[in-house]
PDB file of all heavy atoms in Angstrom:
ATOM      1  N   PRO A 624      -3.050  14.749  -9.812  1.00 95.00           N
ATOM      2  CA  PRO A 624      -1.796  14.918 -10.542  1.00 95.00           C
ATOM      3  C   PRO A 624      -1.593  16.368 -10.888  1.00 95.00           C
ATOM      4  O   PRO A 624      -0.454  16.845 -11.006  1.00 95.00           O
ATOM      5  CB  PRO A 624      -2.060  14.068 -11.803  1.00 95.00           C
ATOM      6  CG  PRO A 624      -3.162  13.147 -11.549  1.00 95.00           C
ATOM      7  CD  PRO A 624      -3.972  13.849 -10.525  1.00 95.00           C
ATOM      8  N   GLY A 625      -2.729  17.106 -11.210  1.00 96.00           N
ATOM      9  CA  GLY A 625      -2.519  18.532 -11.613  1.00 96.00           C
ATOM     10  C   GLY A 625      -3.828  19.303 -10.970  1.00 96.00           C
ATOM     11  O   GLY A 625      -4.857  18.795 -10.975  1.00 96.00           O
ATOM     12  N   MET A 626      -3.474  20.564 -10.638  1.00 96.00           N
ATOM     13  CA  MET A 626      -4.596  21.429 -10.175  1.00 96.00           C
ATOM     14  C   MET A 626      -4.299  22.785 -10.836  1.00 96.00           C
ATOM     15  O   MET A 626      -3.156  23.235 -11.079  1.00 96.00           O
ATOM     16  CB  MET A 626      -4.524  21.602  -8.660  1.00 96.00           C
ATOM     17  CG  MET A 626      -4.975  20.351  -7.893  1.00 96.00           C
ATOM     18  SD  MET A 626      -6.705  20.153  -7.898  1.00 96.00           S
ATOM     19  CE  MET A 626      -7.152  21.518  -6.769  1.00 96.00           C
ATOM     20  N   PHE A 627      -5.450  23.479 -11.119  1.00 97.00           N
ATOM     21  CA  PHE A 627      -5.374  24.810 -11.578  1.00 97.00           C
ATOM     22  C   PHE A 627      -6.164  25.741 -10.614  1.00 97.00           C
ATOM     23  O   PHE A 627      -7.212  25.356 -10.063  1.00 97.00           O
ATOM     24  CB  PHE A 627      -6.092  24.915 -12.978  1.00 97.00           C
ATOM     25  CG  PHE A 627      -5.274  24.176 -14.020  1.00 97.00           C
ATOM     26  CD1 PHE A 627      -5.539  22.823 -14.256  1.00 97.00           C
ATOM     27  CD2 PHE A 627      -4.326  24.849 -14.827  1.00 97.00           C
ATOM     28  CE1 PHE A 627      -4.902  22.152 -15.301  1.00 97.00           C
ATOM     29  CE2 PHE A 627      -3.693  24.072 -15.841  1.00 97.00           C
ATOM     30  CZ  PHE A 627      -3.922  22.830 -15.992  1.00 97.00           C
ATOM     31  N   VAL A 628      -5.594  26.966 -10.467  1.00 97.00           N
ATOM     32  CA  VAL A 628      -6.331  27.936  -9.584  1.00 97.00           C
ATOM     33  C   VAL A 628      -6.054  29.353 -10.154  1.00 97.00           C
ATOM     34  O   VAL A 628      -4.995  29.570 -10.801  1.00 97.00           O
ATOM     35  CB  VAL A 628      -5.724  27.843  -8.116  1.00 97.00           C
ATOM     36  CG1 VAL A 628      -4.311  28.244  -8.060  1.00 97.00           C
ATOM     37  CG2 VAL A 628      -6.535  28.698  -7.164  1.00 97.00           C
ATOM     38  N   GLN A 629      -7.014  30.195  -9.909  1.00 97.00           N
ATOM     39  CA  GLN A 629      -6.861  31.567 -10.376  1.00 97.00           C
ATOM     40  C   GLN A 629      -6.035  32.363  -9.353  1.00 97.00           C
ATOM     41  O   GLN A 629      -6.099  32.042  -8.123  1.00 97.00           O
ATOM     42  CB  GLN A 629      -8.272  32.195 -10.532  1.00 97.00           C
ATOM     43  CG  GLN A 629      -9.054  31.777 -11.837  1.00 97.00           C
ATOM     44  CD  GLN A 629      -8.333  32.077 -13.062  1.00 97.00           C
ATOM     45  OE1 GLN A 629      -8.003  31.213 -13.817  1.00 97.00           O
ATOM     46  NE2 GLN A 629      -8.065  33.432 -13.249  1.00 97.00           N
ATOM     47  N   GLU A 630      -5.316  33.239  -9.771  1.00 97.00           N
ATOM     48  CA  GLU A 630      -4.482  34.112  -8.932  1.00 97.00           C
ATOM     49  C   GLU A 630      -5.419  34.718  -7.906  1.00 97.00           C
ATOM     50  O   GLU A 630      -6.554  35.140  -8.197  1.00 97.00           O
ATOM     51  CB  GLU A 630      -3.843  35.246  -9.780  1.00 97.00           C
ATOM     52  CG  GLU A 630      -2.732  36.021  -9.059  1.00 97.00           C
ATOM     53  CD  GLU A 630      -2.082  37.021  -9.984  1.00 97.00           C
ATOM     54  OE1 GLU A 630      -2.601  37.173 -11.178  1.00 97.00           O
ATOM     55  OE2 GLU A 630      -1.149  37.671  -9.562  1.00 97.00           O
ATOM     56  N   LYS A 631      -4.912  34.839  -6.688  1.00 97.00           N
ATOM     57  CA  LYS A 631      -5.588  35.373  -5.493  1.00 97.00           C
ATOM     58  C   LYS A 631      -6.690  34.487  -4.891  1.00 97.00           C
ATOM     59  O   LYS A 631      -7.202  34.837  -3.856  1.00 97.00           O
ATOM     60  CB  LYS A 631      -6.181  36.808  -5.846  1.00 97.00           C
ATOM     61  CG  LYS A 631      -5.231  37.835  -6.328  1.00 97.00           C
ATOM     62  CD  LYS A 631      -5.873  39.074  -6.588  1.00 97.00           C
ATOM     63  CE  LYS A 631      -4.862  40.069  -7.154  1.00 97.00           C
ATOM     64  NZ  LYS A 631      -5.422  41.393  -7.510  1.00 97.00           N
ATOM     65  N   GLU A 632      -6.996  33.344  -5.526  1.00 97.00           N
ATOM     66  CA  GLU A 632      -7.894  32.369  -4.961  1.00 97.00           C
ATOM     67  C   GLU A 632      -7.158  31.406  -4.007  1.00 97.00           C
ATOM     68  O   GLU A 632      -5.993  31.244  -4.119  1.00 97.00           O
ATOM     69  CB  GLU A 632      -8.680  31.712  -6.023  1.00 97.00           C
ATOM     70  CG  GLU A 632      -9.609  32.650  -6.781  1.00 97.00           C
ATOM     71  CD  GLU A 632     -10.600  31.887  -7.692  1.00 97.00           C
ATOM     72  OE1 GLU A 632     -10.305  30.666  -7.948  1.00 97.00           O
ATOM     73  OE2 GLU A 632     -11.485  32.513  -8.231  1.00 97.00           O
ATOM     74  N   ALA A 633      -7.949  30.712  -3.235  1.00 98.00           N
ATOM     75  CA  ALA A 633      -7.392  29.698  -2.309  1.00 98.00           C
ATOM     76  C   ALA A 633      -7.457  28.297  -3.015  1.00 98.00           C
ATOM     77  O   ALA A 633      -8.326  28.129  -3.969  1.00 98.00           O
ATOM     78  CB  ALA A 633      -8.075  29.580  -0.977  1.00 98.00           C
ATOM     79  N   VAL A 634      -6.580  27.473  -2.708  1.00 98.00           N
ATOM     80  CA  VAL A 634      -6.538  26.077  -3.360  1.00 98.00           C
ATOM     81  C   VAL A 634      -6.110  25.100  -2.240  1.00 98.00           C
ATOM     82  O   VAL A 634      -5.289  25.385  -1.323  1.00 98.00           O
ATOM     83  CB  VAL A 634      -5.483  26.026  -4.534  1.00 98.00           C
ATOM     84  CG1 VAL A 634      -4.066  26.305  -4.138  1.00 98.00           C
ATOM     85  CG2 VAL A 634      -5.643  24.720  -5.249  1.00 98.00           C
ATOM     86  N   THR A 635      -6.691  23.962  -2.332  1.00 98.00           N
ATOM     87  CA  THR A 635      -6.404  22.758  -1.458  1.00 98.00           C
ATOM     88  C   THR A 635      -5.852  21.650  -2.176  1.00 98.00           C
ATOM     89  O   THR A 635      -6.405  21.165  -3.147  1.00 98.00           O
ATOM     90  CB  THR A 635      -7.663  22.265  -0.714  1.00 98.00           C
ATOM     91  OG1 THR A 635      -8.195  23.398   0.070  1.00 98.00           O
ATOM     92  CG2 THR A 635      -7.324  21.106   0.166  1.00 98.00           C
ATOM     93  N   LEU A 636      -4.652  21.192  -1.747  1.00 98.00           N
ATOM     94  CA  LEU A 636      -4.036  20.067  -2.272  1.00 98.00           C
ATOM     95  C   LEU A 636      -4.093  18.866  -1.313  1.00 98.00           C
ATOM     96  O   LEU A 636      -3.817  19.032  -0.201  1.00 98.00           O
ATOM     97  CB  LEU A 636      -2.431  20.365  -2.522  1.00 98.00           C
ATOM     98  CG  LEU A 636      -2.173  21.626  -3.463  1.00 98.00           C
ATOM     99  CD1 LEU A 636      -0.682  21.788  -3.600  1.00 98.00           C
ATOM    100  CD2 LEU A 636      -2.930  21.645  -4.752  1.00 98.00           C
ATOM    101  N   ASP A 637      -4.548  17.760  -1.849  1.00 98.00           N
ATOM    102  CA  ASP A 637      -4.871  16.641  -1.019  1.00 98.00           C
ATOM    103  C   ASP A 637      -3.709  15.712  -0.729  1.00 98.00           C
ATOM    104  O   ASP A 637      -2.808  15.493  -1.496  1.00 98.00           O
ATOM    105  CB  ASP A 637      -6.092  15.794  -1.667  1.00 98.00           C
ATOM    106  CG  ASP A 637      -7.351  16.527  -1.733  1.00 98.00           C
ATOM    107  OD1 ASP A 637      -7.510  17.560  -1.030  1.00 98.00           O
ATOM    108  OD2 ASP A 637      -8.167  16.179  -2.570  1.00 98.00           O
ATOM    109  N   CYS A 638      -3.731  15.072   0.450  1.00 98.00           N
ATOM    110  CA  CYS A 638      -2.776  14.138   0.831  1.00 98.00           C
ATOM    111  C   CYS A 638      -3.325  13.211   1.868  1.00 98.00           C
ATOM    112  O   CYS A 638      -3.887  13.603   2.897  1.00 98.00           O
ATOM    113  CB  CYS A 638      -1.476  14.847   1.404  1.00 98.00           C
ATOM    114  SG  CYS A 638      -0.248  13.715   2.148  1.00 98.00           S
ATOM    115  N   THR A 639      -3.260  11.906   1.645  1.00 97.00           N
ATOM    116  CA  THR A 639      -3.674  10.919   2.656  1.00 97.00           C
ATOM    117  C   THR A 639      -2.422  10.108   2.924  1.00 97.00           C
ATOM    118  O   THR A 639      -1.524   9.851   2.053  1.00 97.00           O
ATOM    119  CB  THR A 639      -4.778   9.994   2.183  1.00 97.00           C
ATOM    120  OG1 THR A 639      -4.485   9.390   0.993  1.00 97.00           O
ATOM    121  CG2 THR A 639      -6.009  10.925   2.053  1.00 97.00           C
ATOM    122  N   TYR A 640      -2.334   9.526   4.042  1.00 97.00           N
ATOM    123  CA  TYR A 640      -1.119   8.798   4.527  1.00 97.00           C
ATOM    124  C   TYR A 640      -1.575   7.530   5.208  1.00 97.00           C
ATOM    125  O   TYR A 640      -2.763   7.364   5.667  1.00 97.00           O
ATOM    126  CB  TYR A 640      -0.315   9.640   5.385  1.00 97.00           C
ATOM    127  CG  TYR A 640      -0.867  10.155   6.638  1.00 97.00           C
ATOM    128  CD1 TYR A 640      -0.873   9.404   7.836  1.00 97.00           C
ATOM    129  CD2 TYR A 640      -1.603  11.327   6.710  1.00 97.00           C
ATOM    130  CE1 TYR A 640      -1.429   9.851   8.955  1.00 97.00           C
ATOM    131  CE2 TYR A 640      -2.202  11.771   7.819  1.00 97.00           C
ATOM    132  CZ  TYR A 640      -2.151  10.985   9.018  1.00 97.00           C
ATOM    133  OH  TYR A 640      -2.812  11.438  10.169  1.00 97.00           O
TER     134      TYR A 640
END
Side-chain angles (χ1 to χ4, degrees):
Chain A
M626 287 285 286
F627 293 87
V628 67
Q629 287 298 122
E630 194 178 6
K631 300 182 184 177
E632 292 186 349
V634 63
T635 297
L636 306 183
D637 295 341
C638 173
T639 57
Y640 59 91

